[in-house]
Amino acid sequence: MSIAIPEIEKELTDPKLIEVRDYWNEHIHDLEIATEPLGSIGFFDQLDAYRFDKLHYLPKVVDFSSYAGKDVLEVGCGAGIDLVHFARAGANVIGVDLAEVSIDLARKNFAARNLAGEFRVMNGQDLTFADNSFDVVYGHGVLQYTADVPAMLREIHRVLKPGGQVIFMVYNRISWLNFMKNIVKVDLEHEDAPVFMTYSIKEFKLLLAGFDDVEIIPERFPVKTKLHKGFKAVLYNKIFVGAFNILPKAIVRPFGWHLMAFATKK
Ligand SMILES: C[S@@+](CC[C@H](N)C(=O)[O-])C[C@H]1O[C@@H](n2cnc3c(N)ncnc32)[C@H](O)[C@@H]1O
């Protein structure tokens, strides 16, 4: 399958953002787990199954079925895996991403499933949508990888309708995975990206100070890895995952690797 390169709507001038775009064109999230032909329905099904196995918390905290009829924008949509769930539930979806390869894949994902959705190569720090356009803006694993987070948040706030909701996920610096990284020296996925940031819960709340009703929910506790091999992976899969998951959630929750945020614009 060939990759059709869609056009970006405004040329990028910030060298850091150009680096971010080039990195993500080369490292589409989770692509390495798929064995089916690139762009086939089997390929997108594999990406979906892998993601919702690893992130089994996601449909529990984001009730995709409750967004029927809503206008949903995803910033940094990658291959559109999560947007499929919004669209299947009846939302009107638009996905934007800096990486042309992501947008091409997202379009193919929707076409393979006969779903309606619009996908555009666009900088989330400089959106071309009018003020107050969307009921929901979703960005899972995006703020921590972009060049200017306050600029992206300002843009998202601008295009969100009053009464609208934002849903974000960033990485928790004070988490079990950072602990593993420092003690066992494991590499974190995409920590080689041109921008890679982690936040404490307090810092994330401060970052979202321009929104209202901010609620942060730590999620993503250890699950067995399929990506890593060798002695460390065996120890991790056989001992650490089981031991961690028998601890009461009330104690371990603040140390979840993903900080999900829900907030509104009044
Ligand atoms: C870790 S991937 C996450 C993709 C998808 N949300 C997911 O969870 O699979 C980060 C994505 O954010 C995109 N991104 C980073 N900065 C961006 C920006 N300023 N505007 C639009 N997309 C951006 C990258 O191109 C990349 O596709």
Side-chain angles (χ1 to χ4, degrees):
M1 189 206 70
S2 65
I3 296 281
I5 300 297
E7 287 282 305
I8 186 149
E9 313 215 348
K10 277 189 192 174
E11 275 311 315
L12 298 179
T13 50
D14 175 356
K16 190 47 109 184
L17 265 187
I18 293 172
E19 264 186 73
V20 169
R21 178 202 57 201
D22 292 350
Y23 175 90
W24 288 106
N25 267 331
E26 292 286 318
H27 299 85
I28 302 292
H29 195 45
D30 290 341
L31 213 63
E32 60 278 26
I33 64 96
T35 52
E36 292 288 319
L38 185 71
S40 65
I41 182 104
F43 166 87
F44 292 117
D45 283 345
Q46 279 184 326
L47 287 186
D48 183 90
Y50 176 70
R51 180 168 177 84
F52 283 89
D53 178 37
K54 186 172 63 166
L55 307 185
H56 53 80
Y57 74 80
L58 196 50
K60 293 183 195 144
V61 293
V62 179
D63 178 9
F64 295 105
S65 66
S66 66
Y67 296 97
K70 302 282 186 200
D71 295 325
V72 176
L73 169 68
E74 180 169 6
V75 175
C77 63
I81 308 295
D82 291 357
L83 268 192
V84 162
H85 292 259
F86 284 104
R88 271 199 192 127
N92 312 310
V93 305
I94 301 188
V96 301
D97 202 293
L98 268 188
E100 292 91 345
V101 176
S102 292
I103 292 302
D104 181 57
L105 284 173
R107 286 178 184 164
K108 290 189 165 87
N109 188 2
F110 269 58
R113 300 178 189 287
N114 243 332
L115 280 172
E118 191 183 323
F119 292 95
R120 292 160 69 172
V121 181
M122 200 188 289
N123 175 10
Q125 299 172 196
D126 189 12
L127 296 167
T128 61
F129 304 110
D131 297 358
N132 309 326
S133 294
F134 297 97
D135 299 299
V136 180
V137 183
Y138 181 84
H140 193 282
V142 178
L143 294 172
Q144 60 268 53
Y145 292 112
T146 201
D148 185 344
V149 186
M152 185 178 271
L153 288 171
R154 273 195 304 277
E155 276 297 87
I156 289 174
H157 191 274
R158 180 183 67 74
V159 302
L160 189 67
K161 291 179 189 170
Q165 184 191 34
V166 287
I167 305 172
F168 298 123
M169 183 283 283
V170 300
Y171 301 136
N172 185 3
R173 193 170 54 253
I174 306 167
S175 67
W176 65 271
L177 193 54
N178 244 25
F179 169 80
M180 292 282 292
K181 175 187 157 45
N182 294 325
I183 301 293
V184 197
K185 307 283 175 227
V186 287
D187 294 332
L188 302 180
E189 260 182 295
H190 302 301
E191 70 176 324
D192 59 334
V195 179
F196 176 87
M197 288 173 293
T198 57
Y199 299 90
S200 67
I201 293 176
K202 202 171 156 196
E203 287 161 353
F204 193 25
K205 273 192 183 149
L206 274 176
L207 203 61
L208 299 179
F211 292 89
D212 300 286
D213 309 317
V214 177
E215 186 188 8
I216 312 270
I217 305 178
E219 283 288 351
R220 178 67 170 91
F221 302 101
V223 291
K224 290 183 180 172
T225 177
K226 291 178 186 157
L227 276 185
H228 300 88
K229 304 274 174 248
F231 178 66
K232 280 185 196 172
V234 172
L235 265 186
Y236 170 82
N237 280 345
K238 296 243 182 271
I239 298 175
F240 184 78
V241 175
F244 191 97
N245 284 313
I246 53 171
L247 294 170
K249 269 284 166 317
I251 294 175
V252 297
R253 178 159 303 281
F255 307 107
W257 170 234
H258 287 184
L259 296 179
M260 290 294 300
F262 299 84
T264 63
K265 168 177 167 181
K266 287 214 165 122

